[in-house]
């Protein structure tokens, strides 16, 4: 029964992800900032969808953070610094099918506080 519940949760997240990705697109000046969270860590990357390239990425494992709100703030500060170094001040937030609360919302708020317009 637990396996069926987990499978259902994953399928619902994938449906939300496809719905979101149909509506948003990243450019060179306004990249798509995509977050991925696992049980242990967070990952984020800024993607330019026209050429399909990653402009910059940040990994929670390399920063030594956990997948909590404090870790999301540290990760947002890191990726904001990398984006500002490239001269990018705005982006489109891709929550990757996750609900906008908790860690995902904390990451977005910290990104805004560090000078990235979403």
């Amino acid at each position: 029964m637990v396996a069926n519940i987990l499978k259902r949760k994953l399928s619902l997240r994938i449906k939300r992800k496809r719905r979101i990705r149909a509506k948003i697109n990243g450019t060179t000046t306004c990249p798509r900032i995509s977050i991925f969270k696992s049980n242990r860590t967070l990952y984020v990357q800024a993607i330019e969808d026209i050429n399909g390239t990653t402009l910059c990425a940040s990994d929670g494992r390399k920063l030594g953070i956990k997948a909590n709100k404090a870790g999301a703030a540290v990760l947002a500060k890191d990726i904001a610094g990398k984006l500002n170094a490239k001269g990018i001040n705005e982006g489109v937030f891709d929550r990757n099918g996750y609900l906008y609360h908790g860690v995902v919302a904390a990451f977005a708020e910290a990104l805004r506080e560090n000078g990235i317009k979403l």
Side-chain angles (χ1 to χ4, degrees):
M1 183 170 160
V2 174
N4 289 337
I5 294 170
L6 293 176
K7 192 181 295 187
R8 174 93 172 125
K9 284 178 74 172
L10 181 62
S11 69
L12 289 174
R13 186 180 78 81
I14 290 172
K15 284 168 78 172
R16 283 191 304 267
K17 179 179 177 176
R18 288 183 182 144
R19 231 182 3 248
I20 293 165
R21 283 286 292 120
K23 297 174 187 174
I24 63 174
N25 199 8
T27 61
T28 306
T29 58
C30 184
R32 177 170 55 96
I33 301 170
S34 178
I35 187 170
F36 177 78
K37 65 176 186 168
S38 68
N39 288 336
R40 293 185 179 186
T41 189
L42 299 169
Y43 308 91
V44 66
Q45 56 184 340
I47 305 162
E48 190 257 315
D49 287 318
I50 295 170
N51 295 324
T53 58
T54 299
L55 300 176
C56 61
S58 191
D59 185 354
R61 287 182 304 170
K62 292 179 183 173
L63 296 175
I65 62 170
K66 294 183 180 179
N68 54 22
K69 290 181 182 180
V74 172
L75 191 68
K77 185 176 181 180
D78 184 54
I79 196 75
K82 290 179 181 179
L83 287 172
N84 287 330
K86 291 186 179 263
I88 299 170
N89 296 327
E90 63 179 323
V92 179
F93 186 57
D94 179 9
R95 58 187 172 95
N96 211 1
Y98 301 111
L99 299 178
Y100 189 83
H101 70 92
V103 172
V104 176
F107 174 78
E109 291 300 321
L111 205 57
R112 288 184 187 102
E113 289 171 3
N114 286 302
I116 302 297
K117 182 181 173 191
L118 295 177

